[in-house]
Amino acid sequence: MTDVTRRALLIGAGIAVPGLFLSGCATTAMPGDMTEALRRLLAISSERAMTRLVADNGFFNDPQTRLTIPGTAAGDRSGAILGALLGSVPVRRELTLAINRAAAAAADRAAPLIFDSIRSLTFSDALGIVQGGPTAATTYLERAIGDRIIDAMLPEVGGALRQFDNQSVLGPVLGAATGINVAAIERTITTQAAQAVWRAIGQEEAAIRRNPGRAGDPLVAALLAIG
């Protein structure tokens, strides 16, 4: 998804992105203001995180979001078999890049779910979130979405991993090895990717909390000032 497309998505979802916020007085902290400010905080954090992640090799280039090849936790004997097949450095390198690119495509696919959820999000304890930890709002959003993000991202990860043919060094690994539970590996990678998305959003939220002016939104800055 291009930056233009993502910007259009956010506007369509009823959430302003940096540079498009409505100006206005933000000196009060009524409940409605808190809800709107938290939504904006999450929208800004998510937009910045997603833009970074879906960039070329965005997942791979950031040690905090880079995915690794699933190990024995992938399920059944899949991890052990996969490990045995990955003795070749070129295979490991290509597979690592592949799963990180698949994660980026999956994150892009999950963007509508994330931003639509932000738009409709309500907060049972808005003040508690405002005064909470550096990623309190992100944690709240993560819990609100739950496993729906896995469901949104899984098809993209599966499609990306199954696209390799015999011309790719991954073809024999993912195609010929009948002992590999590909579905379990796909879900493991998707779960890792979803966790990386939340870490990235949380990092952006924490950065804004440290410096509220960085949000570029007066309502967010005013609300965080009371924290």
Side-chain angles (χ1 to χ4, degrees):
M1 185 181 294
T2 65
D3 289 343
V4 173
T5 302
R6 178 167 290 103
R7 183 175 292 271
L9 170 65
L10 297 182
I11 295 171
I15 300 172
V17 294
L20 295 179
F21 290 111
L22 296 176
S23 61
C25 179
T27 58
T28 60
M30 300 297 289
D33 293 332
M34 284 191 182
T35 295
E36 177 62 17
L38 286 171
R39 286 175 179 165
R40 292 188 186 191
L41 171 62
L42 284 169
I44 296 167
S45 301
S46 299
E47 190 270 340
R48 291 176 181 175
M50 298 296 270
T51 298
R52 175 161 49 86
L53 290 176
V54 303
D56 189 34
N57 288 330
F59 268 82
F60 183 81
N61 289 337
D62 185 347
Q64 296 299 315
T65 58
R66 183 185 304 141
L67 305 189
T68 58
I69 299 170
T72 54
D76 301 327
R77 296 168 52 241
S78 300
I81 296 172
L82 188 60
L85 290 170
L86 293 177
S88 166
V89 172
V91 172
R92 293 188 66 88
R93 181 169 56 247
E94 184 171 347
L95 184 55
T96 299
L97 283 171
I99 63 176
N100 280 276
R101 288 169 180 165
D108 202 34
R109 185 185 181 99
L113 168 66
I114 292 173
F115 291 113
D116 186 60
S117 297
I118 293 171
R119 181 179 62 84
S120 60
L121 202 61
T122 58
F123 303 92
S124 57
D125 182 15
L127 182 59
I129 295 172
V130 171
Q131 297 177 333
T135 62
T138 301
T139 299
Y140 189 88
L141 177 63
E142 178 182 0
R143 290 173 179 169
I145 291 179
D147 287 342
R148 287 183 294 154
I149 193 171
I150 303 293
D151 297 335
M153 298 175 74
L154 186 58
E156 197 71 42
V157 171
L161 293 182
R162 293 173 189 272
Q163 72 183 355
F164 301 103
D165 55 28
N166 290 330
Q167 301 303 312
S168 166
V169 296
L170 297 182
V173 175
L174 297 179
T178 57
I180 292 180
N181 185 340
V182 176
I185 290 175
E186 289 171 358
R187 190 161 189 90
T188 297
I189 292 172
T190 304
T191 300
Q192 289 181 358
Q195 292 170 346
V197 167
W198 294 127
R199 284 197 301 274
I201 295 174
Q203 287 171 355
E204 296 294 342
E205 178 191 351
I208 292 172
R209 284 179 179 269
R210 287 193 299 270
N211 180 10
R214 195 171 174 273
D217 181 278
L219 184 60
V220 173
L223 189 65
L224 292 179
I226 73 173

